[in-house]
Amino acid sequence: MDRLVLLFFMNAKSSIPARYPYSSPDQHTMAQTNPSLLHVASNALSEIASLFSPHYDILNQDKAKPNDTPLSERSFTLGANNHHVFICLKNASMGHEPEPLFRDFVQPWLVPSQPAHVEGSLEVGDWHPPEGFIELRRCFTILGNEILDFSYWAELTISLPNLEIPYDCFASPILPLDAHGTLQRLTWSGHSAQLINSWLPFTPPLLQSLQMLTLTCDISLEDSSYILYHGTQLKSLIIRTIRPTSFIDSVFPHLESSSRNRRTCLEELDLTSREDITSLLAQFEFPSLRILRIKLWYPTCRSGFQDAENFDWKTLEQVELFADLSTEDQDRIRNQCHPTTEIQFRDHFKFQNRM
């Protein structure tokens, strides 16, 4: 049976039935030190959940269950299960000494010395975003230094508010993840300014260590090129959403490259763009590409995307194009693909009418 951690973040008026005493994995009573936290055995999970819903957060082997409680009723969520750690900061820090929380509610529930998925999110809540940004970094630091060494962080998910957060590198130093080179999968969402102004900047060493990158933020075409240029080991790249330079500024250094670059590892490319991506694709070749998903929110008749020679269409196994393509363009692409290729065309104007 999967081991579960159930953490309760109760209001002051909440009551707890006596038949469910406070307990922790080491058999020490938590009620004496922190009455807002409750750990219960997994065989009582369903009954407890029915009693206290919606004042709980659960993290199981797959994911954290969402909750409907207002942010003002809870400050943070912390949990772990086997190979997964979940941290969510909502409107307050974990206090001056959060280390005991990690030792009681994370360390006993992790498989030691094994690659793990670390997930951290920051919600705006009632506090100043820079404070939350520093606090999330502090939680990651405690986890990496005392509970789960950074060298075991194989997958990382970071969810930040979509607003530019001031960053002080002296108050919040960079996490040493790129030094280990063991981080393989990164899912990141937030404001593009935090791609460089952060305790986890998208440096060339970090990008070169990744095999999978999912990026959700407004990003320029030039910055997308920077990521593709340095992501030499990427097998999967998902970017949402590329924006025109009139809408978004570039944050990475400008690249000077006169030759086309082969990305021999890339097998999946998923791009959503409101800017013409023809110039981006012209910089690269993708000889190993098997899955191509592209959503274009501009008239493709103004670009040469449909005539792109960057893909070996016959080797593609799955093609999904969400764009304003004419019937002739669709037929030309379909004829270049192998008969067994799964092809799906969608007209974004029709989609907009259904929104």
Side-chain angles (χ1 to χ4, degrees):
M1 178 180 294
D2 291 333
R3 296 172 295 175
L4 297 176
V5 173
L6 180 62
L7 301 185
F8 283 75
F9 302 85
M10 308 300 294
N11 298 328
K13 298 180 181 179
S14 300
S15 60
I16 301 175
R19 60 194 174 112
Y20 293 112
Y22 290 95
S23 62
S24 64
D26 58 4
Q27 304 302 316
H28 293 294
T29 300
M30 289 294 295
Q32 299 174 353
T33 57
N34 193 338
S36 65
L37 294 176
L38 172 66
H39 165 245
V40 295
S42 59
N43 57 5
L45 179 62
S46 59
E47 189 173 359
I48 287 289
S50 65
L51 287 172
F52 292 107
S53 178
H55 300 286
Y56 66 91
D57 288 294
I58 306 170
L59 181 64
N60 60 20
Q61 189 173 9
D62 298 323
K63 61 180 180 180
K65 304 296 184 183
N67 64 83
D68 300 322
T69 308
L71 294 177
S72 59
E73 294 185 11
R74 201 182 286 115
S75 60
F76 64 86
T77 305
L78 177 65
N81 178 255
N82 292 338
H83 304 280
H84 192 177
V85 180
F86 180 81
I87 304 168
C88 179
L89 302 180
K90 301 187 177 182
N91 57 12
S93 71
M94 291 188 179
H96 295 295
E97 297 182 358
E99 290 86 351
L101 299 180
F102 281 85
R103 287 195 292 266
D104 286 335
F105 292 99
V106 174
Q107 190 171 31
W109 307 98
L110 284 175
V111 178
S113 304
Q114 292 291 324
H117 176 193
V118 177
E119 186 173 354
S121 64
L122 171 64
E123 298 179 3
V124 177
D126 300 329
W127 58 356
H128 196 42
E131 297 176 8
F133 197 48
I134 293 176
E135 178 70 6
L136 184 58
R137 188 262 178 198
R138 182 172 73 135
C139 291
F140 281 151
T141 302
I142 294 172
L143 181 64
N145 287 341
E146 301 188 20
I147 308 298
L148 179 68
D149 190 86
F150 288 111
S151 61
Y152 294 113
W153 292 27
E155 181 173 0
L156 178 62
T157 298
I158 294 179
S159 178
L160 302 173
N162 187 22
L163 52 88
E164 185 172 356
I165 303 175
Y167 170 69
D168 183 351
C169 61
F170 296 103
S172 185
I174 294 174
L175 295 177
L177 284 169
D178 57 352
H180 294 282
T182 54
L183 184 65
Q184 297 179 355
R185 297 177 295 277
L186 175 60
T187 300
W188 191 98
S189 62
H191 192 280
S192 61
Q194 263 57 66
L195 293 174
I196 56 170
N197 296 323
S198 171
W199 29 256
L200 185 69
F202 279 49
T203 60
L206 177 67
L207 290 171
Q208 290 162 8
S209 71
L210 296 177
Q211 295 183 12
M212 300 176 64
L213 173 60
T214 298
L215 187 62
T216 303
C217 72
D218 293 330
I219 187 172
S220 70
L221 197 70
E222 187 172 296
D223 286 344
S224 302
S225 175
Y226 182 94
I227 290 173
L228 258 174
Y229 181 83
H230 289 288
T232 55
Q233 303 302 313
L234 283 173
K235 294 182 178 180
S236 173
L237 175 62
I238 301 174
I239 297 179
R240 306 185 180 104
T241 301
I242 301 173
R243 298 277 185 174
T245 52
S246 58
F247 183 88
I248 188 76
D249 294 328
S250 297
V251 298
F252 294 122
H254 178 70
L255 285 175
E256 293 289 348
S257 178
S258 57
S259 59
R260 297 176 69 179
N261 301 277
R262 290 173 60 87
R263 290 296 166 261
T264 56
C265 294
L266 197 66
E267 299 176 357
E268 178 184 13
L269 180 63
D270 187 329
L271 302 177
T272 299
S273 180
R274 293 184 177 271
E275 176 72 309
D276 189 349
I277 61 173
T278 306
S279 61
L280 170 66
L281 299 178
Q283 303 174 46
F284 301 94
E285 296 178 359
F286 310 101
S288 303
L289 198 67
R290 296 296 178 265
I291 300 174
L292 176 65
R293 300 187 187 95
I294 294 183
K295 297 181 181 179
L296 303 178
W297 293 91
Y298 61 86
T300 55
C301 60
R302 299 178 183 175
S303 72
F305 163 75
Q306 59 269 39
D307 298 315
E309 299 178 355
N310 316 73
F311 314 115
D312 186 355
W313 295 93
K314 291 189 180 302
T315 64
L316 294 178
E317 299 173 358
Q318 183 178 341
V319 176
E320 182 177 335
L321 299 181
F322 185 90
D324 180 27
L325 291 172
S326 67
T327 302
E328 291 78 11
D329 291 334
Q330 295 180 22
D331 290 341
R332 183 162 61 252
I333 293 174
R334 188 178 285 107
N335 291 334
Q336 294 182 74
C337 293
H338 193 274
T340 60
T341 302
E342 298 180 14
I343 305 176
Q344 182 178 4
F345 295 108
R346 298 179 65 186
D347 188 324
H348 69 68
F349 289 115
K350 294 179 181 179
F351 180 80
Q352 282 181 310
N353 293 334
R354 294 197 299 268
M355 293 290 284

Short mmCIF file of all heavy atoms in Angstrom, two decimals, residues 143-195:
data_model
loop_
_atom_site.label_atom_id
_atom_site.label_comp_id
_atom_site.label_asym_id
_atom_site.label_seq_id
_atom_site.Cartn_x
_atom_site.Cartn_y
_atom_site.Cartn_z
N LEU A 143 15.47 21.42 1.97
CA LEU A 143 15.26 20.10 1.40
C LEU A 143 16.54 19.54 0.80
O LEU A 143 16.91 18.39 1.04
CB LEU A 143 14.16 20.17 0.33
CG LEU A 143 13.80 18.86 -0.37
CD1 LEU A 143 13.19 17.87 0.62
CD2 LEU A 143 12.83 19.13 -1.52
N GLY A 144 17.26 20.37 0.03
CA GLY A 144 18.45 19.90 -0.66
C GLY A 144 19.65 19.70 0.24
O GLY A 144 20.49 18.83 -0.01
N ASN A 145 19.74 20.49 1.32
CA ASN A 145 20.90 20.39 2.21
C ASN A 145 20.72 19.38 3.33
O ASN A 145 21.70 18.79 3.80
CB ASN A 145 21.19 21.76 2.83
CG ASN A 145 21.79 22.73 1.83
OD1 ASN A 145 22.32 22.33 0.80
ND2 ASN A 145 21.70 24.02 2.14
N GLU A 146 19.48 19.16 3.78
CA GLU A 146 19.27 18.35 4.98
C GLU A 146 18.43 17.10 4.77
O GLU A 146 18.54 16.15 5.55
CB GLU A 146 18.62 19.21 6.06
CG GLU A 146 19.44 20.44 6.45
CD GLU A 146 18.86 21.16 7.65
OE1 GLU A 146 18.09 20.53 8.39
OE2 GLU A 146 19.19 22.35 7.83
N ILE A 147 17.57 17.07 3.76
CA ILE A 147 16.64 15.96 3.61
C ILE A 147 16.93 15.13 2.36
O ILE A 147 17.14 13.93 2.42
CB ILE A 147 15.18 16.46 3.57
CG1 ILE A 147 14.88 17.36 4.77
CG2 ILE A 147 14.22 15.28 3.49
CD1 ILE A 147 15.02 16.69 6.11
N LEU A 148 16.95 15.77 1.22
CA LEU A 148 17.14 15.10 -0.07
C LEU A 148 18.20 15.85 -0.84
O LEU A 148 17.94 16.94 -1.36
CB LEU A 148 15.81 15.08 -0.85
CG LEU A 148 15.83 14.43 -2.24
CD1 LEU A 148 16.06 12.92 -2.12
CD2 LEU A 148 14.53 14.71 -2.98
N ASP A 149 19.39 15.29 -0.91
CA ASP A 149 20.51 15.97 -1.55
C ASP A 149 20.16 16.39 -2.98
O ASP A 149 19.43 15.69 -3.70
CB ASP A 149 21.73 15.06 -1.58
CG ASP A 149 22.98 15.80 -2.00
OD1 ASP A 149 23.63 16.41 -1.13
OD2 ASP A 149 23.29 15.79 -3.21
N PHE A 150 20.65 17.56 -3.38
CA PHE A 150 20.35 18.09 -4.71
C PHE A 150 20.71 17.11 -5.83
O PHE A 150 20.11 17.13 -6.90
CB PHE A 150 21.10 19.41 -4.93
CG PHE A 150 20.57 20.57 -4.14
CD1 PHE A 150 21.30 21.12 -3.10
CD2 PHE A 150 19.32 21.11 -4.42
CE1 PHE A 150 20.82 22.19 -2.36
CE2 PHE A 150 18.82 22.18 -3.69
CZ PHE A 150 19.57 22.72 -2.66
N SER A 151 21.68 16.25 -5.58
CA SER A 151 22.10 15.30 -6.61
C SER A 151 21.03 14.27 -6.92
O SER A 151 21.12 13.58 -7.94
CB SER A 151 23.39 14.60 -6.18
OG SER A 151 23.19 13.86 -4.98
N TYR A 152 19.99 14.16 -6.08
CA TYR A 152 18.89 13.22 -6.32
C TYR A 152 17.66 13.89 -6.92
O TYR A 152 16.64 13.24 -7.11
CB TYR A 152 18.51 12.50 -5.02
CG TYR A 152 19.60 11.60 -4.49
CD1 TYR A 152 20.25 11.89 -3.31
CD2 TYR A 152 19.97 10.45 -5.19
CE1 TYR A 152 21.26 11.06 -2.82
CE2 TYR A 152 20.98 9.62 -4.71
CZ TYR A 152 21.61 9.93 -3.53
OH TYR A 152 22.61 9.11 -3.06
N TRP A 153 17.76 15.18 -7.21
CA TRP A 153 16.64 15.88 -7.82
C TRP A 153 16.66 15.61 -9.33
O TRP A 153 17.33 16.27 -10.10
CB TRP A 153 16.74 17.37 -7.57
CG TRP A 153 16.56 17.78 -6.14
CD1 TRP A 153 16.82 17.03 -5.03
CD2 TRP A 153 16.10 19.04 -5.65
NE1 TRP A 153 16.55 17.74 -3.89
CE2 TRP A 153 16.11 18.97 -4.24
CE3 TRP A 153 15.70 20.22 -6.27
CZ2 TRP A 153 15.72 20.05 -3.44
CZ3 TRP A 153 15.31 21.29 -5.48
CH2 TRP A 153 15.31 21.21 -4.08
N ALA A 154 15.89 14.62 -9.75
CA ALA A 154 15.84 14.27 -11.17
C ALA A 154 14.77 15.04 -11.92
O ALA A 154 14.89 15.27 -13.13
CB ALA A 154 15.60 12.77 -11.33
N GLU A 155 13.72 15.43 -11.21
CA GLU A 155 12.62 16.17 -11.84
C GLU A 155 12.21 17.30 -10.91
O GLU A 155 12.09 17.13 -9.70
CB GLU A 155 11.43 15.25 -12.12
CG GLU A 155 10.26 15.95 -12.80
CD GLU A 155 9.17 14.98 -13.22
OE1 GLU A 155 9.33 13.77 -12.98
OE2 GLU A 155 8.15 15.45 -13.79
N LEU A 156 11.97 18.47 -11.50
CA LEU A 156 11.62 19.65 -10.72
C LEU A 156 10.46 20.37 -11.39
O LEU A 156 10.49 20.61 -12.60
CB LEU A 156 12.83 20.58 -10.58
CG LEU A 156 12.62 21.90 -9.82
CD1 LEU A 156 12.22 21.63 -8.38
CD2 LEU A 156 13.90 22.75 -9.86
N THR A 157 9.44 20.70 -10.59
CA THR A 157 8.31 21.49 -11.07
C THR A 157 8.24 22.76 -10.24
O THR A 157 8.18 22.71 -9.01
CB THR A 157 6.99 20.71 -10.93
OG1 THR A 157 7.05 19.53 -11.73
CG2 THR A 157 5.81 21.56 -11.38
N ILE A 158 8.27 23.90 -10.92
CA ILE A 158 8.19 25.20 -10.25
C ILE A 158 7.05 25.99 -10.85
O ILE A 158 6.98 26.18 -12.07
CB ILE A 158 9.51 25.98 -10.39
CG1 ILE A 158 10.64 25.26 -9.64
CG2 ILE A 158 9.34 27.40 -9.85
CD1 ILE A 158 11.97 25.96 -9.74
N SER A 159 6.15 26.47 -9.99
CA SER A 159 5.01 27.28 -10.42
C SER A 159 5.06 28.60 -9.67
O SER A 159 4.90 28.64 -8.45
CB SER A 159 3.70 26.54 -10.15
OG SER A 159 2.59 27.34 -10.53
N LEU A 160 5.26 29.69 -10.43
CA LEU A 160 5.37 31.02 -9.85
C LEU A 160 4.25 31.91 -10.39
O LEU A 160 3.67 31.63 -11.46
CB LEU A 160 6.72 31.65 -10.20
CG LEU A 160 7.98 30.89 -9.77
CD1 LEU A 160 9.22 31.55 -10.35
CD2 LEU A 160 8.07 30.81 -8.26
N PRO A 161 3.93 33.00 -9.70
CA PRO A 161 2.93 33.93 -10.23
C PRO A 161 3.40 34.55 -11.54
O PRO A 161 4.61 34.74 -11.75
CB PRO A 161 2.81 34.99 -9.14
CG PRO A 161 3.37 34.36 -7.90
CD PRO A 161 4.42 33.41 -8.37
N ASN A 162 2.48 34.86 -12.41
CA ASN A 162 2.82 35.47 -13.69
C ASN A 162 2.98 36.98 -13.53
O ASN A 162 2.22 37.78 -14.08
CB ASN A 162 1.75 35.16 -14.74
CG ASN A 162 2.16 35.64 -16.12
OD1 ASN A 162 3.36 35.83 -16.40
ND2 ASN A 162 1.19 35.88 -16.99
N LEU A 163 3.95 37.34 -12.74
CA LEU A 163 4.30 38.76 -12.55
C LEU A 163 5.78 38.85 -12.24
O LEU A 163 6.37 37.93 -11.68
CB LEU A 163 3.45 39.39 -11.44
CG LEU A 163 3.38 38.70 -10.08
CD1 LEU A 163 4.52 39.16 -9.18
CD2 LEU A 163 2.05 38.98 -9.42
N GLU A 164 6.38 39.96 -12.63
CA GLU A 164 7.82 40.14 -12.43
C GLU A 164 8.11 40.36 -10.96
O GLU A 164 7.59 41.30 -10.35
CB GLU A 164 8.33 41.30 -13.27
CG GLU A 164 9.83 41.47 -13.22
CD GLU A 164 10.34 42.51 -14.20
OE1 GLU A 164 9.51 43.05 -14.98
OE2 GLU A 164 11.55 42.79 -14.19
N ILE A 165 8.97 39.52 -10.40
CA ILE A 165 9.29 39.59 -8.98
C ILE A 165 10.72 40.11 -8.82
O ILE A 165 11.65 39.53 -9.38
CB ILE A 165 9.17 38.20 -8.32
CG1 ILE A 165 7.76 37.63 -8.53
CG2 ILE A 165 9.49 38.29 -6.83
CD1 ILE A 165 7.59 36.21 -8.01
N PRO A 166 10.92 41.18 -8.06
CA PRO A 166 12.29 41.65 -7.81
C PRO A 166 13.11 40.56 -7.15
O PRO A 166 12.62 39.84 -6.27
CB PRO A 166 12.08 42.85 -6.88
CG PRO A 166 10.67 43.29 -7.11
CD PRO A 166 9.91 42.05 -7.44
N TYR A 167 14.37 40.47 -7.57
CA TYR A 167 15.22 39.40 -7.06
C TYR A 167 16.54 39.98 -6.56
O TYR A 167 17.19 40.77 -7.24
CB TYR A 167 15.49 38.38 -8.15
CG TYR A 167 16.56 37.35 -7.80
CD1 TYR A 167 16.32 36.40 -6.81
CD2 TYR A 167 17.79 37.35 -8.44
CE1 TYR A 167 17.30 35.47 -6.47
CE2 TYR A 167 18.77 36.42 -8.12
CZ TYR A 167 18.51 35.49 -7.13
OH TYR A 167 19.47 34.57 -6.79
N ASP A 168 16.91 39.58 -5.35
CA ASP A 168 18.16 39.99 -4.74
C ASP A 168 19.05 38.75 -4.61
O ASP A 168 18.78 37.86 -3.79
CB ASP A 168 17.90 40.61 -3.36
CG ASP A 168 19.17 41.13 -2.70
OD1 ASP A 168 20.28 40.86 -3.22
OD2 ASP A 168 19.06 41.80 -1.66
N CYS A 169 20.10 38.67 -5.42
CA CYS A 169 20.95 37.48 -5.43
C CYS A 169 21.70 37.31 -4.12
O CYS A 169 22.13 36.19 -3.79
CB CYS A 169 21.93 37.54 -6.60
SG CYS A 169 23.07 38.94 -6.56
N PHE A 170 21.87 38.39 -3.34
CA PHE A 170 22.58 38.27 -2.07
C PHE A 170 21.66 37.72 -0.99
O PHE A 170 22.08 36.93 -0.14
CB PHE A 170 23.14 39.63 -1.65
CG PHE A 170 24.17 40.18 -2.59
CD1 PHE A 170 23.83 41.17 -3.50
CD2 PHE A 170 25.46 39.68 -2.61
CE1 PHE A 170 24.77 41.67 -4.39
CE2 PHE A 170 26.41 40.17 -3.49
CZ PHE A 170 26.06 41.17 -4.38
N ALA A 171 20.38 38.10 -1.04
CA ALA A 171 19.42 37.60 -0.05
C ALA A 171 18.96 36.19 -0.39
O ALA A 171 18.51 35.45 0.49
CB ALA A 171 18.22 38.54 0.06
N SER A 172 19.06 35.82 -1.67
CA SER A 172 18.55 34.52 -2.10
C SER A 172 19.50 33.93 -3.14
O SER A 172 19.25 34.01 -4.35
CB SER A 172 17.14 34.69 -2.67
OG SER A 172 16.57 33.46 -3.01
N PRO A 173 20.62 33.33 -2.72
CA PRO A 173 21.63 32.81 -3.66
C PRO A 173 21.08 31.71 -4.57
O PRO A 173 20.05 31.09 -4.29
CB PRO A 173 22.73 32.27 -2.74
CG PRO A 173 22.51 32.95 -1.43
CD PRO A 173 21.03 33.17 -1.33
N ILE A 174 21.81 31.44 -5.64
CA ILE A 174 21.41 30.45 -6.63
C ILE A 174 21.49 29.04 -6.05
O ILE A 174 22.44 28.70 -5.34
CB ILE A 174 22.31 30.57 -7.88
CG1 ILE A 174 22.06 31.92 -8.58
CG2 ILE A 174 22.06 29.43 -8.86
CD1 ILE A 174 23.01 32.19 -9.73
N LEU A 175 20.49 28.23 -6.37
CA LEU A 175 20.52 26.82 -5.97
C LEU A 175 21.58 26.08 -6.80
O LEU A 175 21.73 26.37 -8.00
CB LEU A 175 19.16 26.16 -6.19
CG LEU A 175 17.99 26.67 -5.35
CD1 LEU A 175 16.71 25.95 -5.75
CD2 LEU A 175 18.25 26.48 -3.86
N PRO A 176 22.31 25.14 -6.22
CA PRO A 176 23.43 24.49 -6.92
C PRO A 176 23.00 23.33 -7.81
O PRO A 176 23.71 22.33 -7.92
CB PRO A 176 24.30 24.00 -5.77
CG PRO A 176 23.34 23.67 -4.69
CD PRO A 176 22.22 24.69 -4.80
N LEU A 177 21.86 23.44 -8.47
CA LEU A 177 21.38 22.32 -9.27
C LEU A 177 22.21 22.10 -10.52
O LEU A 177 22.46 20.96 -10.94
CB LEU A 177 19.91 22.53 -9.64
CG LEU A 177 18.91 22.26 -8.51
CD1 LEU A 177 17.53 22.75 -8.88
CD2 LEU A 177 18.88 20.77 -8.18
N ASP A 178 22.65 23.17 -11.19
CA ASP A 178 23.41 23.00 -12.43
C ASP A 178 24.79 22.41 -12.16
O ASP A 178 25.41 21.82 -13.04
CB ASP A 178 23.53 24.32 -13.19
CG ASP A 178 24.16 25.42 -12.36
OD1 ASP A 178 24.36 25.21 -11.15
OD2 ASP A 178 24.45 26.50 -12.91
N ALA A 179 25.28 22.55 -10.91
CA ALA A 179 26.60 22.00 -10.57
C ALA A 179 26.58 20.47 -10.56
O ALA A 179 27.58 19.82 -10.87
CB ALA A 179 27.06 22.51 -9.21
N HIS A 180 25.43 19.88 -10.21
CA HIS A 180 25.34 18.42 -10.16
C HIS A 180 25.06 17.81 -11.54
O HIS A 180 25.50 16.70 -11.83
CB HIS A 180 24.24 18.00 -9.18
CG HIS A 180 24.53 18.35 -7.76
ND1 HIS A 180 25.39 17.62 -6.97
CD2 HIS A 180 24.11 19.37 -6.98
CE1 HIS A 180 25.47 18.16 -5.77
NE2 HIS A 180 24.70 19.22 -5.74
N GLY A 181 24.31 18.53 -12.38
CA GLY A 181 24.01 18.02 -13.71
C GLY A 181 23.10 16.81 -13.72
O GLY A 181 23.07 16.07 -14.70
N THR A 182 22.36 16.59 -12.62
CA THR A 182 21.49 15.40 -12.53
C THR A 182 20.03 15.72 -12.79
O THR A 182 19.22 14.81 -12.93
CB THR A 182 21.62 14.76 -11.14
OG1 THR A 182 21.37 15.75 -10.13
CG2 THR A 182 23.01 14.19 -10.95
N LEU A 183 19.69 17.01 -12.84
CA LEU A 183 18.30 17.38 -13.12
C LEU A 183 18.01 17.11 -14.59
O LEU A 183 18.63 17.68 -15.48
CB LEU A 183 18.08 18.86 -12.79
CG LEU A 183 16.64 19.36 -12.94
CD1 LEU A 183 15.73 18.68 -11.93
CD2 LEU A 183 16.59 20.88 -12.77
N GLN A 184 17.04 16.24 -14.85
CA GLN A 184 16.73 15.83 -16.21
C GLN A 184 15.42 16.41 -16.74
O GLN A 184 15.29 16.65 -17.94
CB GLN A 184 16.66 14.31 -16.30
CG GLN A 184 17.96 13.61 -15.97
CD GLN A 184 17.85 12.11 -16.05
OE1 GLN A 184 16.77 11.55 -16.26
NE2 GLN A 184 18.97 11.42 -15.87
N ARG A 185 14.45 16.63 -15.84
CA ARG A 185 13.13 17.10 -16.28
C ARG A 185 12.75 18.34 -15.49
O ARG A 185 12.79 18.33 -14.25
CB ARG A 185 12.08 16.00 -16.08
CG ARG A 185 12.35 14.77 -16.93
CD ARG A 185 11.35 13.67 -16.67
NE ARG A 185 11.45 13.14 -15.32
CZ ARG A 185 12.33 12.23 -14.95
NH1 ARG A 185 13.20 11.73 -15.82
NH2 ARG A 185 12.37 11.80 -13.69
N LEU A 186 12.37 19.38 -16.20
CA LEU A 186 12.00 20.64 -15.56
C LEU A 186 10.69 21.15 -16.16
O LEU A 186 10.56 21.29 -17.38
CB LEU A 186 13.10 21.69 -15.75
CG LEU A 186 12.80 23.11 -15.23
CD1 LEU A 186 12.54 23.10 -13.73
CD2 LEU A 186 13.96 24.06 -15.57
N THR A 187 9.72 21.39 -15.28
CA THR A 187 8.46 22.03 -15.66
C THR A 187 8.39 23.36 -14.94
O THR A 187 8.45 23.40 -13.70
CB THR A 187 7.25 21.15 -15.28
OG1 THR A 187 7.36 19.89 -15.95
CG2 THR A 187 5.95 21.81 -15.69
N TRP A 188 8.29 24.43 -15.68
CA TRP A 188 8.45 25.77 -15.09
C TRP A 188 7.36 26.69 -15.63
O TRP A 188 7.11 26.74 -16.84
CB TRP A 188 9.83 26.31 -15.46
CG TRP A 188 10.27 27.55 -14.73
CD1 TRP A 188 11.07 27.61 -13.63
CD2 TRP A 188 9.94 28.91 -15.06
NE1 TRP A 188 11.27 28.92 -13.26
CE2 TRP A 188 10.59 29.74 -14.12
CE3 TRP A 188 9.17 29.51 -16.06
CZ2 TRP A 188 10.49 31.13 -14.15
CZ3 TRP A 188 9.06 30.89 -16.09
CH2 TRP A 188 9.72 31.69 -15.15
N SER A 189 6.73 27.47 -14.74
CA SER A 189 5.76 28.48 -15.16
C SER A 189 5.96 29.73 -14.31
O SER A 189 6.30 29.64 -13.12
CB SER A 189 4.32 27.96 -15.01
OG SER A 189 4.01 27.67 -13.66
N GLY A 190 5.75 30.88 -14.92
CA GLY A 190 5.93 32.14 -14.23
C GLY A 190 6.12 33.27 -15.22
O GLY A 190 5.68 33.20 -16.37
N HIS A 191 6.81 34.32 -14.78
CA HIS A 191 7.11 35.48 -15.62
C HIS A 191 8.50 35.29 -16.23
O HIS A 191 9.41 34.78 -15.58
CB HIS A 191 7.07 36.76 -14.78
CG HIS A 191 7.10 38.02 -15.59
ND1 HIS A 191 8.25 38.55 -16.12
CD2 HIS A 191 6.09 38.86 -15.97
CE1 HIS A 191 7.97 39.66 -16.78
NE2 HIS A 191 6.67 39.87 -16.71
N SER A 192 8.65 35.71 -17.47
CA SER A 192 9.93 35.47 -18.17
C SER A 192 11.11 36.13 -17.48
O SER A 192 12.25 35.67 -17.63
CB SER A 192 9.84 35.95 -19.62
OG SER A 192 9.57 37.34 -19.68
N ALA A 193 10.88 37.20 -16.71
CA ALA A 193 12.00 37.85 -16.01
C ALA A 193 12.66 36.89 -15.04
O ALA A 193 13.87 36.97 -14.79
CB ALA A 193 11.49 39.09 -15.26
N GLN A 194 11.89 35.94 -14.49
CA GLN A 194 12.45 34.99 -13.53
C GLN A 194 13.25 33.88 -14.20
O GLN A 194 13.83 33.04 -13.52
CB GLN A 194 11.33 34.38 -12.69
CG GLN A 194 11.13 35.06 -11.34
CD GLN A 194 10.86 36.55 -11.46
OE1 GLN A 194 9.82 36.95 -11.98
NE2 GLN A 194 11.77 37.36 -10.97
N LEU A 195 13.32 33.88 -15.54
CA LEU A 195 14.19 32.93 -16.22
C LEU A 195 15.65 33.23 -15.95
O LEU A 195 16.51 32.34 -16.03
CB LEU A 195 13.92 32.96 -17.73
CG LEU A 195 12.53 32.45 -18.18
CD1 LEU A 195 12.35 32.68 -19.67
CD2 LEU A 195 12.37 30.98 -17.84
#
